[in-house]
Amino acid sequence: MSQVTIDRNEIDIVIAAFRSDLTSFLEEWRPIISRFHLIIVQDPDLKEGLKIPKGFDVDVYTKSDIDKLVSASHASMFSGYACRYFGYLVSKRKYIVSIDDDCSPAKDNNGDVVDIVTQHITNLKTPATPLFFNTLYDPYRKGSDFVRGYPFSLRSGVPCVLSCGLWLNLADFDAPTQSLKPELRNSRYVDAVLTVPKNSLMPMSGINIAFDRETVGPAILPALKLAKEGKVRWETMEDVWCGLVVKVVCDHLQLGVKTGIPYVWRNERGSAIDSLKKEWQGVKLMEELIPFFQALKLSQDAVTAEDCVMEMAVAIKKGIGSKHPELANAAGNMVEWVKIWKEVGSRVLI
Amino acid sequence: MSSSSSSTIRPTPLLKDELDIVIPTIRNLDFLEMWRPFFQPYHLIIVQDGDPSKIIKVPEGFDYELYNRNDINKILGPKSSCISFKDSACRCFGYMVSKKKYIFTIDDDCFVAKDPSGNDINALEQHIKNLLSPSTPFFFNTLYDPYREGADFVRGYPFSLREGVPTAVSHGLWLNIPDYDAPTQLVKPRERNTRFVDAVLTIPKGTLFPMCGMNLAFDRELIGPAMYFGLMGDGQPIGRYDDMWAGWCIKVICDHLGLGVKTGLPYIWHSKASNPFVNLKKEYKGIYWQEELIPFFQGATLPKECTTVQSCYKELSKQVKAKLGKIDDYFNKLADAMLTWIEAWDELNPSMQLANGIERLVV
């Protein structure tokens, strides 16, 4: 098994900034991310200018950049947590690594700091194995392999285009769960990465992800906006929606999604109970989304991520979107996203 | 509000009157000495393979029943043809004669492993935890088994799916000698599994996996009749695919009946690497055949009229004959053996014919 090369020219690190002083955040991450190009997108609601320490190769995008690039009617697609997608849009590199700005580097079971970039890129540059489950998890990891009974024809795997990392300390639980168990913290470091099997959907958490922008960028999209979306993860579903979309796309295009390491350490922020009082909408929606997405079939003509997204948008509008206006809007946003993606892709950005 | 740690840690029930430990052996049972602290409360079913005139000594203090080939032939009569000879597949005879709800099966070269803190792992206790808590095959939980202490369902997991389904199978793993096939063993003779992955997870519905019989537990009432380990060993063209075959069958049936299969913890320490050249000869045909077997199982559907494990299994055997018979006559024989197995199972377990989720008849 060959070593994976981490080439800084292939990677953009995209951070959405919800607070103006990013000094402590970036200093914490400096040893891991300073050699890479950073794209920081400022939450359009954040009025103060960003404070960024020296020594980073960084481009900052603000509300005015968003307004310049997309029409006013669509600027709201990039509000709140979804502002990070603007960073994905303007990136010119193959891989994106994206984390929330309330995360710190984690330590593994040996006490070593987790280099999320190396692990995410390794996940992406080694094949995924969605067609048959390997009981020793990722067979491409050092010290592991395919087990007895794993068909040989499936051992070359498929390209991995999405790597979903995990979180120690404050895990990505929903507001009801965290409210019921306010002391619950994730202290279990599970030393594994595995492929999410084909036809199996999962709840993607945007807190710590990386993806192959070239292949699947059009499907990593800002679409679902809850009516009372807020600035804590308990008050958004944008990433969960995106995860359902991208998994259907991957399953259709024979691409892979991995989940597991790397871990980040998620710092305490917000109040689960306050979020719970605000909004149940997202939680209720999931009940219908799962059966709908599980039954979604794409045509043979859908051969790119863009094609898949367009077909899905039509199906969503006709199907589940007819009962839920926010889902019809999401479908509309998906179509708009693909349009903007194509436009931006064909332009040379200054 | 009470802290999660104190409210969720309950002692795991021993289930010593509800669980049998099935061990196939051809040599000796010395390994039981190391397991004594964990196994002594339980009843053992030893299935002695090979020469029935050999005396296999069971260490003192264990409560057991032992069956050699003569016993198997006596009990099953002509139906004993479905039980393999000179292959650990014979262990499934133990599943059939057991009268308990749960089975734990382990190989005689598997020892107690240590966790990263250096503590001995009570594999049986973890299997019981796995079996007594639900599975979640319909949507993947990124924090693995949500019923474990310190874990839960993540944001986005639908509430209607949080009750889960009953767990039928708990598939454990192995430190030290990994369960590789012969080609991989030949290429990587020194590779050892040293990575302790602290997770249990449900294998999603619609996904097949390679089930290893070295460290396996299951709910006999929920899935027992489908745990047939096939025709292997003496007189058969294939070996080392017994557990694989059972694993593909049980997964199709579990998916159909809405039952769950978990994999991950517990780990045992696998001490012996079998000879890779011998293994290659046994597996050779399987390596080619599995290329056709996998699409068969992946595409297998069972009619909704099949609501019991036995009816599912009989239907599967029909499909095996119809679709796999053309690969090799072996599969015709195997399909027949699957039916023989079910007949023998039902004869030895009359009250279970109405079980599988329905109220068990008290005979």
Side-chain angles (χ1 to χ4, degrees), chain A residues 1 109 130-139 141-155 164 166-167 171-177 179-207 233-240 244 259-261 263 273 280 283 286-287 290 294, chain B residues 1-5 7-8 116 137-146 148-162 171-174 178-184 188 191-214 239-244 248 263-265 267 283 287 290-291 294 298:
Chain A
M1 194 199 346
N109 287 329
L131 300 173
F132 202 74
F133 191 90
N134 192 46
T135 48
L136 279 187
Y137 313 109
D138 189 337
R141 272 189 92 190
K142 192 157 176 287
S144 187
D145 211 308
F146 291 97
V147 296
R148 173 175 58 98
Y150 203 103
F152 277 80
S153 63
L154 297 181
R155 295 192 187 198
C164 300
L166 292 173
W167 347 268
D172 195 9
F173 297 131
D174 55 39
T177 305
S179 305
L180 266 177
K181 301 177 171 182
E183 310 293 315
L184 180 62
R185 295 292 177 273
N186 186 24
S187 53
R188 184 175 289 129
Y189 183 98
V190 177
D191 189 8
V193 56
L194 64 144
T195 299
V196 182
K198 182 174 177 179
N199 298 331
S200 178
L201 296 175
M202 85 285 169
M204 183 181 90
S205 167
I207 296 172
R233 281 288 177 196
W234 292 309
E235 295 169 13
T236 179
M237 293 290 266
E238 54 88 10
D239 46 356
V240 178
L244 297 174
T259 183
I261 58 170
Y263 280 84
I273 293 180
W280 265 95
V283 166
M286 287 310 292
E287 297 302 328
I290 304 309
Q294 273 171 342
Chain B
M1 203 152 314
S2 62
S3 86
S4 61
S5 52
S7 62
T8 52
F138 304 123
F139 197 62
F140 192 89
N141 192 46
T142 47
L143 275 190
Y144 313 110
D145 188 337
R148 275 188 87 193
E149 303 108 57
D152 212 309
F153 291 96
V154 298
R155 176 175 55 101
Y157 206 103
F159 275 79
S160 61
L161 296 181
R162 295 192 188 200
H171 178 264
L173 295 175
W174 348 271
D179 190 23
Y180 288 160
D181 52 47
T184 310
K188 296 178 160 189
E191 185 150 279
R192 299 289 176 267
N193 186 23
T194 54
R195 185 175 290 127
F196 182 93
V197 177
D198 192 2
V200 183
L201 63 143
T202 298
I203 302 181
K205 179 177 177 176
T207 301
L208 295 176
F209 76 114
M211 185 176 84
C212 173
M214 260 198 266
R240 284 170 58 87
Y241 271 85
D242 51 333
D243 40 7
M244 298 298 137
W248 299 328
T263 185
L265 303 182
Y267 282 89
E283 290 173 19
I287 287 175
Q290 80 191 358
E291 295 299 331
I294 299 306
Q298 278 172 338

Side-chain angles (χ1 to χ4, degrees), chain A residues 69-214:
Chain A
L69 198 60
V70 300
S71 69
S73 51
H74 292 108
S76 64
M77 264 172 71
F78 298 101
S79 64
Y81 271 102
C83 68
R84 58 162 59 185
Y85 293 95
F86 188 79
Y88 306 162
L89 190 61
V90 300
S91 163
K92 293 202 265 313
R93 292 187 157 94
K94 181 167 167 67
Y95 298 109
I96 300 277
V97 176
S98 191
I99 58 171
D100 279 2
D101 70 353
D102 56 4
C103 297
S104 303
K107 289 209 167 91
D108 67 17
N109 287 329
N110 297 324
D112 299 320
V113 174
V114 173
D115 177 349
I116 62 165
V117 179
T118 299
Q119 187 59 57
H120 270 309
I121 301 300
T122 303
N123 292 348
L124 292 171
K125 283 189 162 188
T126 50
T129 52
L131 300 173
F132 202 74
F133 191 90
N134 192 46
T135 48
L136 279 187
Y137 313 109
D138 189 337
Y140 300 97
R141 272 189 92 190
K142 192 157 176 287
S144 187
D145 211 308
F146 291 97
V147 296
R148 173 175 58 98
Y150 203 103
F152 277 80
S153 63
L154 297 181
R155 295 192 187 198
S156 16
V158 300
C160 179
V161 295
L162 176 62
S163 166
C164 300
L166 292 173
W167 347 268
L168 289 172
N169 192 44
L170 203 64
D172 195 9
F173 297 131
D174 55 39
T177 305
Q178 194 75 75
S179 305
L180 266 177
K181 301 177 171 182
E183 310 293 315
L184 180 62
R185 295 292 177 273
N186 186 24
S187 53
R188 184 175 289 129
Y189 183 98
V190 177
D191 189 8
V193 56
L194 64 144
T195 299
V196 182
K198 182 174 177 179
N199 298 331
S200 178
L201 296 175
M202 85 285 169
M204 183 181 90
S205 167
I207 296 172
N208 172 18
I209 57 167
F211 58 96
D212 178 340
R213 193 187 157 277
E214 264 177 22

Side-chain angles (χ1 to χ4, degrees), chain B residues 19-24 31 39 45 47 88 91-92 94-95 102-108 110 124 127 170 172 211-218 227 229 243 268:
Chain B
L19 184 147
D20 274 338
I21 304 182
V22 172
I23 305 167
F31 85 118
F39 287 3
I45 296 180
V47 184
S88 62
R91 74 175 81 211
C92 63
Y95 310 158
Y102 301 101
I103 297 282
F104 169 52
T105 184
I106 184 169
D107 279 12
D108 62 8
C110 294
L124 189 44
H127 275 303
S170 166
M211 185 176 84
C212 173
M214 260 198 266
N215 171 20
L216 182 71
F218 59 93
M227 275 292 185
F229 271 37
D243 40 7
I268 48 87

Side-chain angles (χ1 to χ4, degrees), chain A residues 239-253:
Chain A
D239 46 356
V240 178
W241 174 272
C242 175
L244 297 174
V245 169
V246 73
K247 187 57 165 60
V248 171
V249 172
C250 287
D251 286 347
H252 180 77
L253 297 179

Side-chain angles (χ1 to χ4, degrees), chain B residues 331-342:
Chain B
F331 291 102
N332 290 319
K333 291 212 293 253
L334 182 55
D336 291 338
M338 288 167 77
L339 288 178
T340 306
W341 159 267
I342 291 290

Side-chain angles (χ1 to χ4, degrees), chain B residues 317-334:
Chain B
S317 78
K318 272 197 233 143
Q319 294 182 19
V320 167
K321 197 158 221 178
K323 302 207 179 132
L324 301 179
K326 53 183 174 331
I327 300 177
D328 192 280
D329 189 47
Y330 168 76
F331 291 102
N332 290 319
K333 291 212 293 253
L334 182 55

